[in-house]
Amino acid sequence: MSTRAARTARSPRSAKIANPPPGARPEPELTIVETRVYRGPNYWSYDPAIKLVVDLGVLEHFPSNTIPGFVVALLEMLPGVGEHSCGTGRPGGFADRLRDGTWVGHVAEHIALQLQREAGTEVGRGKTRGTGEPGRYNVIYSYAEEAVGLAAGRLAVRLVNHLVRADEGFDFRVELEDLILLAERAAFGPSTQALIDEAALRDIPWIRLNSASLVQLGHGVHQQRIRATMTSKTGSIAVDTASDKKLTNQLLAATGVPVPRAQVVRSPGDAASAAARIGFPVALKPLDGNHGRGVMLNLGDEQAVRDAFPLAREESRSGALVVEKFITGNDYRCLVIGGVLRAVAQRVPAHVEGDGKHTITELVELTNADPRRGIGHEKVLTRIKLDDEAITYAREQGFELTDVPPRGVRIFLKRTGNMSTGGISIDRTEEIHPDNAEIAEQAARVVGLDIAGIDFICPDISVPVRETGGGIVEVNAAPGFRMHTHPTEGEAQYVAKPVLDLLFPPGADARIPIVAVTGSNGKTTTARMIAHIMKGMGRKVGLTSTDGIFVDGRLIRKADASGPRSASTVLQHPLVDFAVFEVARGGILREGLGYLRNDVAVVLNVTGDHLGLGGITTIKQLAGVKQVIVEAVPRDGTAVLNADDPLVAAMGRSTSGSVIYFSMDPENERIKFQASRGRRAVTLEQGRNGEMIVLRHGRKSMPLVWTHLLPATFEGRARMNVQNALAAAAASWAAGAHLHDIRQGLRTFTTSYFMAPGRLNMFELDGYRVIVDYAHNPPAVEALGQFVEGLAQPTPGGARALVTGQRIGVIATAGDRRDDDIVEIGRVAARHFDRIVIREDENNRGRPRGDTADLIERGVREAMQNGARVTQVETRLEEMDATRHALDVAQPGDVVAVCVDHANDVWKELQRRQHGASSDGHALRAVTILDENPTVEELEAP
């Protein structure tokens, strides 16, 4: 957290400003300007967090200690907030900050955290930092449930404004109760939460797939799913069988399991007749019910059966009911997981116990005041409802709800012991007789459930049921865990452990390797190189990039997919066993990473592109954004860093894992230092036959491949792709690839349009060459220009020059860049091209049409006055118009470099010309330069 702590403009913990007038009360103007939800590691925090940009207005001049009554009122309404340490290392530190004076944005941060705690979610991290604009602050705080965190932030702002105004129109208690109810609705139930907690202990990642309880455990090919306590291994036939109570009864009886006699009925008359045949007392229950709803017990005559029929049918989806022999005894739930009995709980129906002072209604209110009781399954106990069933059952016991029961008399309000209807549980795991345990396990196997709740009715679970009487009355799919994990009495049973053992046996993988690639330039090409290498090893690679989402080389979604949502798509794909993510600056600033950690982080470079966007105004801040993936490297992971870029090289101090540096300069001091410490590095070495990529491990040096043999480097001329190949080799090495696989992957990776569209694609058209590239910032245009110059020179290996004529550049950039950056692109292009055609993107990102082109032209003309290479410059705003014009004026021996926005449209134009559609009858040939004279042994030492 230390590196993130430095990302500040001003910390508002202690306010030092001119004193406002005595007794002055400001108008409340705290407003939320912007809201961001970070779902993974981000620029501000490693944990998921919410960022509110707040505007204090006049409150900028009123610290907390200058607002009359503010501090006292806040601590009275929300006393827990005063116990925050706020960086002091002791409870109560924030109360001191309030009294000493702090800005209300900082106060809102602590209120948002405390509100979430009041709602039952444990969160603790937060910070408030200035944005650089007077009166505006970034308020960052952690959250557990996104909806609750957002609501807490909004409520915190309203509370601050209420305390400043000191009015009577704000009912904080009502607002807080609404937040608590929201938290209860959004939270996982106890069973799901128990499984997620166990997964977290095992370092198994999880993804919530819907707003309910459907959760993915593990990533990619290793994933398993749970929905409450149903799992990927739960069979649908078993669930259907358990849902049909008559069928379950028949199957169990056929295998010798003790069960009550039962019959399916559909009318009150049929039910009464069946009950008479079976013998009273009987139980009446829905054929397809669950959670004890609609179960009517101990019906002693035909009239009782007829009266109970409508109540039971209300809970039956099919309208069919089951009449079965009522077995007297205690209600036990036996939990069987993977065919083994894991827990037993005695369930006691919802009840109250008289004290001689309170009515039954009052006793229920006192019971429901227990903080362990909540709505539905949200807490370990459920509140008791005084419905018609409760009133009727109390009357059967001789009481009205207004009666005061004598001390010690227990009044039952529900007939069944289900936790969902307000019952309590007593752990009996250590008491069950082995014979009964065997019967429960047999029942689970007969039905076929991996996780089964077996309902036993018998006098005493510690005595064989075949001796005392009783039997199994129900087998439940998706049984609740909370009676076992949080029993009202007895020891808690850790039943989530065997479930996770079932899904992920010891030694089984839950994660897939993740390689994240970021940088200002070269991200997509490097990510594609890594994916290509790993695919050659037989891995099913999921790749996200600005071109789209690819799985095993196939495009599954065409979009700019360099953000966190695309990463989540890959991690959910059931075929993927290796992930490569291109991670863009914008995605990190919008939502953070789409995962919690990456095994390998690759940072290529940091240049001044995108400055002024998203609150990032300096290149050091931009480096901090890209450093997020380095901070997300675990201890057993690796950061791959460019030793030639000081900002990138310095990131090595911010990772928990190891570091592999790569460098174009074998004499780089960091590369030498790595060798002296026995660490890994990737660099170039010059040999008599050319330039060799070399892997170094301490003093050991392993030659990998000659750069001129890599198609993507165009015989070593494309220096940017030489650097990308170094990074890809280092990342693949870190991910466990063998040298032979890395070498083969790099030797077969090309920058053809079909493998890397818009990434240095080169074509030959009627004697001149066309380069299509997404170069969009000064460093990228500089690299493109150097490549063009390299094409005009023979290589050290003796390859001829490919360009003998003029160099034509079609230049553009995004409209949301700073004016100085746009002008600089013109200056850079002027140094490398003889003729420049300026165009604009279709979406100029807020700039007036023609404004971006004017700025580029300004840079070109400034360079012309200073003796730059360019001799001619013109503007054609529309992309295809500019491209066609550049192609029309090109002559044999020339080169046309097109900086594209829509690469596919340019490709189609080249295809059109290839097939003779133009008046000049051009011919097109895609160019991939391979070794023209392979006379040297590739592995010859340099």
Side-chain angles (χ1 to χ4, degrees), residues 602-624:
V602 183
V603 185
L604 301 171
N605 42 60
V606 180
T607 67
D609 196 20
H610 296 98
L611 291 182
L613 302 176
I616 303 301
T617 57
T618 69
I619 195 167
K620 187 175 180 180
Q621 289 178 322
L622 185 59

Side-chain angles (χ1 to χ4, degrees), residues 84 149 168 199 217 222 258 446 450 603 638 647 711 723 791 804 892 939:
H84 295 189
E168 301 297 330
L217 302 178
H222 304 304
V446 168
D450 58 331
V603 185
T638 306
L647 287 172
Q723 185 180 70
L791 294 176
T804 58
L939 294 181

Side-chain angles (χ1 to χ4, degrees), residues 30 70 74 78 81 84 94 98 104-118 123 139 141 152-161 163 172 176 179:
L30 182 63
F70 181 90
L74 173 59
L78 204 60
V81 78
H84 295 189
F94 184 62
L98 287 168
V104 294
H106 183 214
V107 176
E109 167 214 323
H110 281 270
I111 293 176
L113 289 170
Q114 185 59 34
L115 288 173
Q116 292 182 81
R117 293 180 183 177
E118 297 287 330
V123 293
V139 175
Y141 57 91
R154 294 190 292 265
L155 179 54
V157 169
R158 294 200 301 274
L159 178 58
V160 167
N161 284 331
L163 293 174
F172 174 67
L176 180 58
L179 181 68

Side-chain angles (χ1 to χ4, degrees), residues 622-788:
L622 185 59
V625 174
K626 298 183 183 299
Q627 183 175 290
V628 168
I629 69 167
V630 177
E631 295 169 348
V633 172
R635 290 187 180 276
D636 59 350
T638 306
V640 175
L641 304 176
N642 184 357
D644 298 330
D645 187 321
L647 287 172
V648 176
M651 296 178 189
R653 297 190 295 267
S654 299
T655 181
S656 300
S658 59
V659 177
I660 298 178
Y661 286 105
F662 66 91
S663 172
M664 301 280 281
D665 178 12
E667 299 302 314
N668 184 287
E669 290 300 320
R670 288 188 183 270
I671 299 297
K672 293 181 178 180
F673 181 80
Q674 286 286 95
S676 69
R677 292 293 187 271
R679 300 169 186 166
R680 294 186 288 178
V682 180
T683 187
L684 299 175
E685 290 185 4
Q686 194 68 37
R688 66 178 182 272
N689 298 315
E691 199 175 46
M692 175 73 78
I693 296 177
V694 176
L695 310 183
R696 292 181 179 175
H697 197 167
R699 298 186 181 279
K700 182 181 179 181
S701 184
M702 295 165 282
L704 183 66
V705 63
W706 298 104
T707 58
H708 67 271
L709 296 181
L710 303 183
T713 70
F714 294 89
E715 296 181 311
R717 291 182 173 99
R719 304 307 292 171
M720 70 287 255
N721 277 351
V722 172
Q723 185 180 70
N724 293 339
L726 292 175
S732 301
W733 190 18
H738 192 277
L739 268 63
H740 298 304
D741 296 308
I742 300 173
R743 180 183 298 118
Q744 179 66 15
L746 293 178
R747 283 294 308 271
T748 55
F749 179 83
T750 72
T751 58
S752 69
Y753 178 80
F754 300 103
M755 185 169 282
R759 270 78 190 183
L760 213 64
N761 311 139
M762 189 158 75
F763 312 91
E764 186 176 345
L765 183 65
D766 199 26
Y768 62 88
R769 296 178 187 271
V770 181
I771 302 169
V772 177
D773 194 77
Y774 278 121
H776 61 284
N777 56 45
V781 174
E782 175 68 29
L784 179 63
Q786 290 178 0
F787 173 58
V788 168

Side-chain angles (χ1 to χ4, degrees), residues 708 713-719 762 769 785-805 807 831-832 834 869 893 895 929 932:
H708 67 271
T713 70
F714 294 89
E715 296 181 311
R717 291 182 173 99
R719 304 307 292 171
M762 189 158 75
R769 296 178 187 271
Q786 290 178 0
F787 173 58
V788 168
E789 290 187 3
L791 294 176
Q793 304 295 328
T795 67
R800 61 183 175 80
L802 300 179
V803 175
T804 58
R807 309 167 191 174
R831 294 199 296 265
H832 296 287
D834 303 297
R869 181 185 184 95
V895 61
I929 300 180
E932 295 181 355

Side-chain angles (χ1 to χ4, degrees), residues 30 109 213 252 309 369 420 481 486 511 608 684 760 840 860 886 941:
L30 182 63
E109 167 214 323
S213 57
L252 294 179
F309 191 93
S420 58
F481 282 178
H486 299 84
R511 293 182 177 272
L684 299 175
L760 213 64
E840 286 188 345
V860 172

Side-chain angles (χ1 to χ4, degrees), residues 567-633:
S568 182
T569 297
V570 166
L571 296 177
Q572 291 180 47
H573 200 289
L575 293 181
V576 173
D577 62 11
F578 195 98
V580 181
F581 297 145
E582 177 184 343
V583 180
R585 163 211 62 88
I588 296 175
L589 289 175
R590 283 193 307 272
E591 298 182 69
L593 302 181
Y595 50 87
L596 290 181
R597 74 186 198 202
N598 35 242
D599 302 278
V600 180
V602 183
V603 185
L604 301 171
N605 42 60
V606 180
T607 67
D609 196 20
H610 296 98
L611 291 182
L613 302 176
I616 303 301
T617 57
T618 69
I619 195 167
K620 187 175 180 180
Q621 289 178 322
L622 185 59
V625 174
K626 298 183 183 299
Q627 183 175 290
V628 168
I629 69 167
V630 177
E631 295 169 348
V633 172

